[in-house]
């Protein structure tokens, strides 16, 4: 994990030790692979509606927004959306709509989006992988792309425990 002092926030805990707050650092090794891949595979056209699930304040939403008619970004964390709003306003990007929402209950009608992008988010949703995936597929138009990545250690357990509920069979 490459750390950037601008992207990473540190604070002192009660015992005096340093604690790093999670931020979606563009220097993180997996983002250098996932973000360009997601933009390429999304295949968004200028007339398309794209949903970015859990993107928070990552730069991915800006790359996707340049390629589509409207980019909708949902995240459960309001603070991340506030940080992104600052950048959206400074860059004057009107094609990005943000909404606080849980990916297990997306507030959009069936088959609304041409593409749904979810980069390294689903593994952070305890006990909701099946519902989250079903929701993303529900709002995706027929023939659309679901771009999904997961941060999991090879040979390791997801979130420190075996996850039988992670895979969708229907």
């Amino acid at each position: 994990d490459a750390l950037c002092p601008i992207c990473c926030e540190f604070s002192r805990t009660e015992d005096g030790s340093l604690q790093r707050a999670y931020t979606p650092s563009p220097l993180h090794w997996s983002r250098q692979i996932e973000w360009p891949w997601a933009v390429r595979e999304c295949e968004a056209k200028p007339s398309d509606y794209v949903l970015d699930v859990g993107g928070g304040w990552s730069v991915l939403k800006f790359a996707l927004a340049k390629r589509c008619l409207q980019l909708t970004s949902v995240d459960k964390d309001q603070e991340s959306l506030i940080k992104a709003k600052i950048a959206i306003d400074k860059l004057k990007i009107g094609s990005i709509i943000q909404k606080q929402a849980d990916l297990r209950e997306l507030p959009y009608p069936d088959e609304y989006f041409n593409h749904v992008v979810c980069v390294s988010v689903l593994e952070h949703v305890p006990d909701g992988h099946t519902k989250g995936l079903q929701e993303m597929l529900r709002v995706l138009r027929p023939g659309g792309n679901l771009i999904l990545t997961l941060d999991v250690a090879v040979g390791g357990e997801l979130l420190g425990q075996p996850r039988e509920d992670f895979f969708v069979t229907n």
Side-chain angles (χ1 to χ4, degrees), residues 88-164:
I88 291 166
D89 291 345
K90 283 185 179 180
L91 295 171
K92 296 181 172 66
I93 301 175
S95 61
I96 297 177
I97 296 171
Q98 297 195 116
K99 186 169 185 79
Q100 184 177 12
D102 187 318
L103 76 98
R104 295 169 291 187
E105 294 180 35
L106 294 172
Y108 301 101
D110 295 354
E111 301 178 0
Y112 187 79
F113 295 98
N114 300 96
H115 311 280
V116 176
V117 178
C118 183
V119 174
S120 291
V121 174
L122 200 56
E123 68 271 19
H124 300 286
V125 182
D127 304 323
H129 305 109
T130 301
K131 181 64 176 154
L133 189 52
Q134 287 171 338
E135 276 293 280
M136 288 186 279
L137 292 172
R138 179 186 65 77
V139 300
L140 183 63
R141 291 181 183 167
N145 293 325
L146 171 61
I147 307 301
L148 178 68
T149 69
L150 305 167
D151 270 353
V152 286
V154 175
E157 296 175 337
L158 187 62
L159 299 175
Q161 59 183 325
R163 298 305 304 247
E164 291 83 19

